[in-house]
Amino acid sequence: MNATTTPDTHQHDCLFQPFSIGRMTLKNRLAVAPMTRISASDNGCATEQMARYYSAFAKGGFGLLITEGIYTDKAYSQGYWNQPGLSDHQQRDAWAKVVEAVHQDGGRMVAQLMHAGALSQGNPYRSDTLGPSAVRPKGQQMTFYRGKGEYSIPRAMLDDEITEAINGFAAAAVCAKQAGFDGVEIHGANGYLLDQFLSEGINLRNDRYGGDIERRLRLIIEVVQAVRTAVGSEFTLGLRISQGKVNDFTHKWRNAETDAALIFSALANLPIDYVHTTEFEAWQSAFGNGPCLAALARQYAGLPVIANGSLHDPTRATDLIVSGQADAVSLGRGALAHADWPTRVHNGASFDEFDPGILSPIANLANEHRHRKERARPLL
Ligand SMILES: Cc1cc2nc3c(=O)[nH]c(=O)nc-3n(C[C@H](O)[C@H](O)[C@H](O)COP(=O)(O)O)c2cc1C
């Protein structure tokens, strides 16, 4: 900025308007997107380092923090070595300390519950993987999460294994509530188990969980219903949905807006409080022309929508909200670049580019800490 221009500090005011999702009141429209950081103890407990990491975003002004994907059971849900869990009381109590730290710094916190399904690449409880059908996932395991080579071919889930997965989500949600979280977000996106069931070509089942889109949605619906029954009506519950997958970034729903209408209309009837959409660039048309995915979610589900995808330019985030296409935005890389992104926007301060070295070669917090120290660039 040169000396003759004055920053318009009101330009982004809409980002700072309070907002309620379910029973949860947020001080602004700015959320930290879920980011797996494989920094838990070997038995899946959140650590003090994680508490410091998360509370930095709360100190930096984010109204809502959505955790990294948390595994839900000690069967097939865990995706990565050192991923945190919510599958027992020890893990619950470890998260309680993180939540307390975030609350003390004025943030709200939602636990993202995730079952990795066929994309599991590090699970101490099982040596094989499960999915809707025995189809090897595309792509390669993620090396920055200590993976190597192709994914395993999963075994098609049996009925009692599906029930076990559903019960795992419900039990983990209860643990989240007991840990003091303000809500849970069910991970229905990015190619993990629930998205595997939703996806044709991956779900080849011909039972009640496979076939047309209504049947492919069944597992998501049953998980949502089980979680809602377990946590009661007052606990905030959201669902993340995407087209892209971590192992297939450019995947698009085959029947474009027809599929979007079916999927999001089905969500309208579910006991959820919000939808969290993610795309590479949230403001772009979802299918080449027509509305973006967040706008479609808002239109067909009629629920509050958190939009995600390259929204770290505050003008993009503001535009999406002012135009009514989303109610709030979540930032991944933007939050890693600046844990105080909200404060910076509010003060008209400058921004740095995201430095991918933070996540390289391993995307854990120890590595991030070292990388920042070497460059004298603290998280906050
Ligand atoms: C290191 C890293 C870890 C991620 N882990 C998760 C995760 O656990 N759950 C999830 O839903 N998305 C995860 N994502 C995706 C982000 O939530 C987000 O969708 C993505 O970074 C795009 O948003 P951005 O453009 O603001 O970075 C992860 C992204 C990054 C960079």
Side-chain angles (χ1 to χ4, degrees), residues 29-35 53-54 56-58 61-68 108 110 185 240 276 306 308 329-333 335-336 338-339 342:
R29 310 293 177 115
L30 301 169
V32 178
M35 284 184 283
Y53 162 77
Y54 279 112
F57 300 114
F62 282 97
L64 176 64
L65 280 67
I66 306 172
T67 67
E68 58 205 285
R108 299 260 164 242
V110 159
E185 173 174 298
R240 192 174 221 213
H276 186 183
I306 303 177
N308 169 262
V329 298
S330 74
L331 305 185
R333 292 163 299 159
L336 292 180
H338 292 293

Side-chain angles (χ1 to χ4, degrees), residues 221 224-226 228-229 235 237-238 267-273 303:
I221 292 171
V224 165
Q225 287 168 337
R228 177 54 85 200
T229 303
F235 195 56
L237 172 54
L267 305 190
N269 302 319
L270 288 184
I272 53 174
D273 300 302
L303 290 163

Side-chain angles (χ1 to χ4, degrees), residues 133-160:
S133 307
V135 177
R136 190 193 295 281
K138 279 188 180 178
Q140 302 280 311
Q141 295 184 21
M142 282 181 268
T143 53
F144 77 176
Y145 293 147
R146 303 189 195 280
K148 196 165 167 249
E150 290 188 311
Y151 290 97
S152 307
I153 298 178
R155 191 163 54 71
M157 287 172 93
L158 303 171
D159 275 355
D160 59 346

Side-chain angles (χ1 to χ4, degrees), residues 297-308:
R298 219 165 176 249
Q299 178 186 342
Y300 289 107
L303 290 163
V305 169
I306 303 177
N308 169 262

Side-chain angles (χ1 to χ4, degrees), residues 250-302:
T250 56
H251 177 82
K252 295 276 177 197
W253 294 334
R254 190 199 298 188
N255 301 311
E257 193 164 338
T258 309
D259 284 357
L262 286 169
I263 292 167
F264 292 128
S265 303
L267 305 190
N269 302 319
L270 288 184
I272 53 174
D273 300 302
Y274 74 92
V275 182
H276 186 183
T277 55
T278 170
E279 290 262 90
F280 172 52
E281 291 178 330
W283 61 91
Q284 301 278 16
S285 163
F287 307 108
N289 58 56
C292 68
L293 197 67
L296 289 166
R298 219 165 176 249
Q299 178 186 342
Y300 289 107

Side-chain angles (χ1 to χ4, degrees), residues 310-374:
S310 308
L311 291 171
H312 35 267
D313 175 343
T315 305
R316 298 248 194 242
T318 297
D319 284 352
L320 217 58
I321 291 178
V322 168
S323 60
Q325 297 177 82
D327 300 277
V329 298
S330 74
L331 305 185
R333 292 163 299 159
L336 292 180
H338 292 293
D340 61 347
W341 190 94
T343 310
R344 281 170 182 266
V345 174
H346 197 257
N347 296 340
S350 63
F351 295 93
D352 296 322
E353 288 284 307
F354 165 68
D355 172 2
I358 291 170
L359 305 173
S360 169
I362 298 295
N364 61 13
L365 296 182
N367 188 72
E368 173 174 346
H369 183 69
R370 187 176 54 246
H371 187 84
R372 289 187 184 282
K373 210 166 162 196
E374 282 163 12

Side-chain angles (χ1 to χ4, degrees), residues 100-124:
E100 194 185 348
V102 166
H103 282 166
Q104 268 172 14
D105 287 319
R108 299 260 164 242
M109 197 169 198
V110 159
Q112 189 188 56
L113 303 182
M114 158 177 159
H115 190 307
L119 292 188
S120 174
Q121 57 174 60
N123 180 4

